[in-house]
Every structure is written in structure tokens, then in C-alpha cells.
Amino acid sequence: MMIPCNYLLPLLSVLLLSASATTSASLLDNFSKCLSVNSELYVPSSTFFSQNNSSFSSILESSAQNLRYLVPSMPKPEFIFTPLHEVHVQAAVICCKELGVHLRVRSGGHDYEGLSYVSETETPFIIVDLAKLRSVKVDIDDNSAWVQAGATIGEVYYRISEKSKTHGFPAGLCTSLGVGGHITGGAYGSMMRKYGLGADNVVDARIVDASGRILDREAMGEDFFWAIRGGGGASFGVILAWKIKLVPVPATVTVFTVTKTLEQCATKLLHRWQEVADKLDEDLFIRVIIQVANAGPKGQKTVTTSYNSLFLGGAERLLKVVEESFPELGLTKKDCTETSWIKSVLYIAGYPSNTPPEVLLQGKSLFKNYFKAKSDFVKDPIPETALEGLWKRLLGEDSPLMIWTPYGGMMSKISESEIPFPHRKGTLFKIQYVNTWQDGEKNATKHIDWMRRLYNYMAPYVSMLPRAAYVNYRDLDLGMNKNDSSFIQSSVWGYKYFKDNFNRLVKVKTKVDPDNFFRHEQSIPPLPLCSEHCLA
């Protein structure tokens, strides 16, 4: 009997779906059995979420920030594993190797290109989600804390403040960042000019390496330890925990936000900020948030520049510092709010003024959007004429955002090679570009193209040779590993993120993961069949 053609396609789809479901089920079954053999502790079935599990979508979406990577057309993991203990992670690495399954690891889901929960290059893949590994053990007497990878940076800040009002940690401004991935890229925040990056203040770590061993700093050695503090996530192993060094903060700090529109001489003021921002007192951090808003005359669309600041001290001293070094801002006592360090964290993160610090324990993001982002580093002030061209471009888009983050202070005192993060002396500020939209895949191409044109426009005014970028603002436009990563291919983006530190990262990768088990679209490549002398 001949089957009509119009029945063949649905039948084929059913067969393919059935085969896929069978494959997923058998893979999960094999993985589960392997874990039970290789884990010292029992692995409950409740830690697995297959695609036909009613909680699969909610778990997948739980911490994912970029909605572009949750649309139906994006590849989905065969299943999600949520380990409860370090040895579960160890066993997961061993079993992925044994079964030939590609692994993605997620701590906070903030990867800008979704690399912690989507693989567009390799299938099948699974996600190991570290959300259940989130303990924070603060030791005030030792000025340190052990922090598991699944904790958010907001939880870390809260737990520190619980023990002391005069200790803090210099890391991210967005409080829902997962600590595991955040520190692997550097981790900057509002105290970076005083104390450097989060990664500059790490003293130990625990990691599962490509052989499935759990290593601390002593066991992994100094080269390995160097690489994981700023060399980007998921290239060298699975971070289990960091031991961080706490820093002193005053009992009273001061915050302010002063906003100027184009009609209020924003262009001249921003040009002046570029000249002074990296030279200000190390206790003073003033970033600029640039957006479009209906804040012009008669509610017309204009560009707003908001000077958003943390000062490690009281308002009286802050006013003196600003009067001496940046009087053009016109800061007044009325603009300033004296508060505790933990409440300044909430302020900088954008929470309403009466929000209790306990909200940080929820680990929830204030930012979930369809977006595309890029980054730049600036070494010379951008001229006013170029800023005026920038405004025209911003006014032509729906919801663009730029954040200019000042450098200088401690950031200029730490060597470019101290850790893999190389953007140090000579950098005035960093630019983050973000373009967001709400209509999903419908107009994504239009908004991404606009971002690329803006990035091209800025080329003459930012760092060159290489045009540097921040690895925690992943940008696949800079290049991707195709199928198998190679040094030549990866160096295109590798030097942008890491400058000459890329060479040392490749040497470490070749030594600790020569088979390239830990890999993704922008992971560090090993050198093929080659000893260390191949890359001097």
C-alpha cells in the first residue's frame, strides 16, 4: 500500500521525536548509573530534569539572563543535572568523559551569549547547574570567606554584612551574578579603584579538573591557579568554590546619582568626566549610565547621562573631593545619601531605596531581556564631536544602554600579567554597550545589526591593536571556535580579551586539559600534540 505524501512528514516527525526521546532517556539512564558508581554520595533522582519533566523549562529558565537563548529554535540540553555535593560534580565530569557527552556548566546564568546553558556547536549536551551549591562561610578573624560557585554575589555581600559592618568584597554590581563564573572573568565593581577586581582578591579555590580530580590551590599549582582567576569560565575545569579575601569598608559610605540631559550640557560634562574619572580619589567611583528617555523639552526624546557613584566615606569629605577634582558635576549635599556598605550595594544595583538587604538572599535578577552586548576600553578622551555623532545613533534606536566604568586607582597599580585580566594601566574607562528589545526573534536581526553599526562607529575612539574586550561580556561576533578549537582561530578573540596573557593561558590549557574536554564557542584551546616549548 502506498502512503500519501502528506502523511509522510508528520509520521517522520513523530518517528524522529520518538527516537530523540528514546536517546535522551537512555542517555539519562546511563548517566545516572555511571554517577552511582563514581560518586561517594548517593545521587537522588530529584537532581535530574529531562526534557519531558514538568520542571525542565522552569529550571532551564531559572537563572538564564539573555532571553535570546531561550527561544524554541535554540538547542536544548538532553537533561539538566543539579548536584547537591562537590563529589556529584566530580562524578558528572567523569561520566561525561566516559559517555562522550558534551558538558555545559552554569553557576548564575549571566553568560551574555548563553554559553553556560546552550551549545550551538555540539550535541548532545547536558547542563550541570550548580544552583544547589551555594554555601557562604565567612571568617571575619581571617578576613576571608569560602564561597561555593552557585551562590550569587548578592548572597556573598549579605553574609559578609551579617558578620561585620566594616568588611566587604570588591566584585560585581549586579547582585544576581553567580560567583563561580563571575570571578573567572575578573569581576569588577564599585570598589575596583580602591581594591581591584574580585579575581585580584581570591586566595584559594576548589576545582574539578579534566581528570575528575578535586584540586585546591596547592594541588593545582600556581599556573593553573593563575589561569582560573580571569581567564574566562569553563576552559580549565568546574569551579566548585573560591576562597576570597575580605576588604575593609567604612561604617558609613555615600552614594549619589546626578543626571544631565543633552539640553543640560551633558556632552561637555561627559567630556570632562573622561579627563578626570581615572584620576579621582581611589575612594570615589563614578560611573556613567547613558540611555535615551523622553526627558527633553515638552517630553521629547533625548539622551540622559547619569553619574552613579559610591564613595567610601561620609558626604562631607565626598563634597570636598568632588569640589577639588570634578566641580563641573555641581554635586550638592542634597544629592548625597549616607548609608551602610550593604545598602550601597542595593542602591548601585538599582533597588528601590526602602528595599531590605534580605532581598539579596533571593538571588533574583532585575534584568531579563532579549539583548546583545559588546565592550570596549578607552585610552584617550572621546572628542565632543564624536559624542554628538554617538547621540544621533542612540536616538535612532528603541532601548540602547551604555555604561562607562572608570579605571585608575588600584586598577593601574596591578600588573597586566598578575592575573589573565590585562586591562590595567593606561585605561581611562570601559564601555559596555547593551541593546535590549521585547519582541523576541521577530526583530532581533534589526537590533543586533544596529549594535554592530554602533560598534563600528566607535572604532576610531577606543583601544586598538588589539581592540580590547571584557571576557565577561562575551561577544561571539569577535570569533568562535568551529567544531574543534585551534590556536589561530581562537587568537582572533583571545588577544582581545587577554592580550599577551592569551599565550600563557594556552600553555596552561595544554598542560591541564590537553584533550580539550572543557570547551565551548570561545574556550581557550590546547596546542595539538605539542609540548610547552611550542609556545614560548
Side-chain angles (χ1 to χ4, degrees), residues 261-263 292-304 395:
T261 66
L262 295 185
E263 295 74 23
V292 296
N294 295 320
K298 299 178 182 177
Q300 290 175 326
K301 197 174 182 181
T302 188
V303 174
T304 63
L395 288 167

Side-chain angles (χ1 to χ4, degrees), residues 75-96:
K76 302 294 184 287
E78 298 299 310
F79 58 87
I80 302 167
F81 175 47
T82 56
L84 305 178
H85 305 282
E86 286 188 346
V87 290
H88 290 172
V89 182
Q90 179 182 32
V93 169
I94 292 168
C95 292
C96 281

Side-chain angles (χ1 to χ4, degrees), residues 201-481:
N201 291 275
V202 166
V203 294
D204 204 342
R206 290 176 64 79
I207 190 170
V208 180
D209 75 353
S211 299
R213 298 174 298 172
I214 295 179
L215 308 174
D216 62 6
R217 178 176 183 172
E218 184 179 6
M220 74 179 84
E222 288 304 298
D223 279 348
F224 199 162
F225 184 61
W226 174 86
I228 61 177
R229 292 173 297 143
S235 283
F236 302 97
V238 182
I239 300 293
L240 296 171
W242 300 105
K243 186 180 183 184
I244 60 174
K245 180 177 69 179
L246 307 185
V247 300
V249 296
T252 299
V253 303
T254 307
V255 294
F256 70 80
T257 302
V258 172
T259 300
K260 302 289 184 183
T261 66
L262 295 185
E263 295 74 23
Q264 297 168 318
C265 302
T267 307
K268 286 193 178 302
L269 184 61
L270 186 61
H271 188 266
R272 180 61 182 153
W273 175 88
Q274 295 180 83
E275 295 174 331
V276 303
D278 68 310
K279 303 171 188 70
L280 297 172
D281 188 302
E282 288 181 9
D283 289 334
L284 180 56
F285 171 90
I286 307 177
R287 65 173 180 166
V288 189
I289 301 168
I290 302 170
Q291 296 171 288
V292 296
N294 295 320
K298 299 178 182 177
Q300 290 175 326
K301 197 174 182 181
T302 188
V303 174
T304 63
T305 57
S306 295
Y307 294 79
N308 181 233
S309 176
L310 168 68
F311 179 68
L312 297 173
E316 193 175 332
R317 186 165 79 88
L318 166 62
L319 289 165
K320 287 178 183 173
V321 168
V322 173
E323 181 57 36
E324 287 171 9
S325 52
F326 192 22
E328 296 86 352
L329 184 61
L331 187 68
T332 66
K333 183 85 182 278
K334 188 179 64 170
D335 298 317
C336 303
T337 301
E338 291 188 333
T339 188
S340 63
W341 174 73
I342 192 64
K343 288 189 176 176
S344 79
V345 165
L346 296 170
Y347 178 88
I348 295 289
Y351 285 95
S353 58
N354 59 349
T355 305
E358 285 71 24
V359 74
L360 298 173
L361 297 177
Q362 297 174 12
K364 288 184 179 174
S365 173
L366 296 179
F367 183 90
K368 280 203 178 198
N369 284 286
Y370 298 91
F371 71 89
K372 174 64 183 175
K374 290 181 175 289
S375 61
D376 265 318
F377 290 87
V378 178
K379 295 184 173 292
D380 297 293
I382 300 169
E384 287 184 36
T385 51
L387 294 177
E388 286 162 3
L390 174 61
W391 307 150
K392 288 176 185 172
R393 285 160 176 81
L394 294 179
L395 288 167
E397 181 59 335
D398 299 336
S399 301
L401 168 69
M402 294 177 78
I403 301 176
W404 293 17
T405 300
Y407 274 53
M410 182 59 76
M411 292 299 291
S412 294
K413 298 174 186 175
I414 299 172
S415 160
E416 283 196 1
S417 59
E418 182 69 23
I419 64 172
F421 179 98
H423 316 291
R424 304 287 187 172
K425 190 175 181 180
T427 298
L428 301 184
F429 60 96
K430 176 175 84 255
I431 297 177
Q432 178 181 191
Y433 311 84
V434 184
N435 197 17
T436 63
W437 59 94
Q438 298 300 321
D439 49 4
E441 292 182 279
K442 187 178 174 186
N443 289 306
T445 301
K446 180 185 86 167
H447 298 296
I448 293 170
D449 286 348
W450 178 89
M451 173 64 85
R452 290 168 178 159
R453 290 195 301 272
L454 180 70
Y455 186 71
N456 289 340
Y457 169 77
M458 293 296 289
Y461 313 111
V462 298
S463 62
M464 300 179 191
L465 300 173
R467 182 176 183 177
Y470 179 39
V471 70
N472 269 0
Y473 296 156
R474 289 271 182 206
D475 180 6
L476 294 183
D477 288 351
L478 302 181
M480 283 172 60
N481 297 324

